[in-house]
Protein backbone atom coordinates (compact mmCIF):
# COMPACT_ATOMS: atom_id res chain seq x y z
CA UNK A 1 0.00 0.00 0.00
CA UNK A 2 1.27 3.45 -0.80
CA UNK A 3 0.02 6.96 -0.23
CA UNK A 4 -0.22 9.48 -3.05
CA UNK A 5 0.03 13.22 -2.84
CA UNK A 6 -3.77 13.39 -3.24
CA UNK A 7 -4.19 11.04 -0.27
CA UNK A 8 -2.02 13.27 1.89
CA UNK A 9 -3.98 16.35 0.77
CA UNK A 10 -7.25 14.57 1.64
CA UNK A 11 -5.97 13.50 5.10
CA UNK A 12 -4.61 16.99 5.72
CA UNK A 13 -8.02 18.42 4.85
CA UNK A 14 -9.71 16.08 7.33
CA UNK A 15 -7.24 17.18 10.00
CA UNK A 16 -7.65 20.81 8.96
CA UNK A 17 -3.96 21.13 8.21
CA UNK A 18 -2.38 23.02 5.34
CA UNK A 19 0.99 22.14 3.88
CA UNK A 20 3.22 23.88 1.39
CA UNK A 21 4.25 21.92 -1.72
CA UNK A 22 7.57 21.04 -0.08
CA UNK A 23 5.86 19.89 3.13
CA UNK A 24 3.34 17.89 1.11
CA UNK A 25 6.17 16.01 -0.62
CA UNK A 26 7.87 15.36 2.72
CA UNK A 27 4.63 14.14 4.32
CA UNK A 28 3.99 11.80 1.39
CA UNK A 29 7.45 10.24 1.76
CA UNK A 30 7.10 9.95 5.56
CA UNK A 31 3.63 8.40 5.40
CA UNK A 32 4.81 5.87 2.83
CA UNK A 33 7.76 5.06 5.09
CA UNK A 34 5.41 4.43 8.03
CA UNK A 35 3.13 2.21 5.95
CA UNK A 36 6.11 0.27 4.63
CA UNK A 37 7.24 -0.39 8.22
CA UNK A 38 3.74 -1.56 9.22
CA UNK A 39 3.72 -3.95 6.24
CA UNK A 40 7.02 -5.42 7.50
CA UNK A 41 5.45 -5.94 10.94
CA UNK A 42 2.54 -7.78 9.32
CA UNK A 43 5.01 -10.27 7.81
CA UNK A 44 6.06 -11.52 11.26
CA UNK A 45 4.74 -14.97 12.15
CA UNK A 46 2.74 -14.57 15.36
CA UNK A 47 1.08 -17.98 15.27
CA UNK A 48 0.93 -19.42 18.77
CA UNK A 49 2.01 -16.18 20.46
CA UNK A 50 -0.24 -15.22 23.33
CA UNK A 51 -1.57 -11.64 23.35
CA UNK A 52 0.37 -9.40 25.70
CA UNK A 53 -1.54 -7.28 28.17
CA UNK A 54 1.49 -6.17 30.19
CA UNK A 55 5.26 -6.34 29.87
CA UNK A 56 5.53 -7.56 33.47
CA UNK A 57 4.42 -10.81 35.05
CA UNK A 58 3.76 -8.99 38.31
CA UNK A 59 0.27 -8.39 39.63
CA UNK A 60 -0.93 -5.32 41.46
CA UNK A 61 -0.75 -5.65 45.20
CA UNK A 62 -3.99 -4.34 46.61
CA UNK A 63 -4.97 -3.92 50.22
CA UNK A 64 -8.11 -5.43 51.63
CA UNK A 65 -11.12 -3.20 51.01
CA UNK A 66 -12.25 -2.51 54.56
CA UNK A 67 -14.43 0.41 55.65
CA UNK A 68 -12.71 2.56 58.27
CA UNK A 69 -13.69 5.66 60.17
CA UNK A 70 -13.04 9.03 58.62
CA UNK A 71 -10.63 11.67 59.89
CA UNK A 72 -12.00 14.37 62.18
CA UNK A 73 -12.65 17.75 60.53
CA UNK A 74 -10.36 19.62 62.91
CA UNK A 75 -7.53 17.20 62.29
CA UNK A 76 -7.99 17.45 58.51
CA UNK A 77 -7.91 21.26 58.63
CA UNK A 78 -4.96 21.37 61.02
CA UNK A 79 -2.34 21.85 58.26
CA UNK A 80 -4.56 23.76 55.83
CA UNK A 81 -2.93 27.02 54.70
CA UNK A 82 -6.31 28.77 54.72
CA UNK A 83 -9.73 27.74 55.95
CA UNK A 84 -13.16 29.20 56.55
CA UNK A 85 -15.20 27.69 59.36
CA UNK A 86 -14.97 23.94 58.74
CA UNK A 87 -13.97 24.12 55.05
CA UNK A 88 -10.74 24.40 53.07
CA UNK A 89 -10.49 27.85 51.50
CA UNK A 90 -9.09 27.84 47.97
CA UNK A 91 -8.69 30.49 45.28
CA UNK A 92 -11.69 31.05 43.04
CA UNK A 93 -11.29 29.33 39.68
CA UNK A 94 -13.45 30.41 36.76
Amino acid sequence: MSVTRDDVAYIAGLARLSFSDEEMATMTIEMNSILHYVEKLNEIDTEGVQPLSSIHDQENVLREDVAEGSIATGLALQNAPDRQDRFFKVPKVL
Side-chain angles (χ1 to χ4, degrees), residues 19-80:
F19 295 122
S20 66
D21 289 338
E22 183 180 309
E23 290 172 325
M24 190 71 75
T26 302
M27 290 301 292
T28 304
I29 292 168
E30 289 181 1
M31 290 182 87
N32 279 316
S33 173
I34 292 168
L35 289 175
H36 179 69
Y37 183 72
V38 170
E39 286 175 3
K40 281 189 171 221
L41 290 177
N42 286 334
E43 294 173 3
I44 297 172
D45 180 24
T46 57
E47 189 68 33
V49 177
Q50 294 293 322
L52 184 66
S53 62
S54 174
I55 60 171
H56 299 289
D57 291 336
Q58 300 171 346
E59 294 182 22
N60 285 338
V61 179
L62 304 173
R63 65 174 171 79
E64 191 68 30
D65 190 15
V66 178
E68 297 180 3
S70 61
I71 189 169
T73 304
L75 189 57
L77 291 170
Q78 184 176 353
N79 291 326

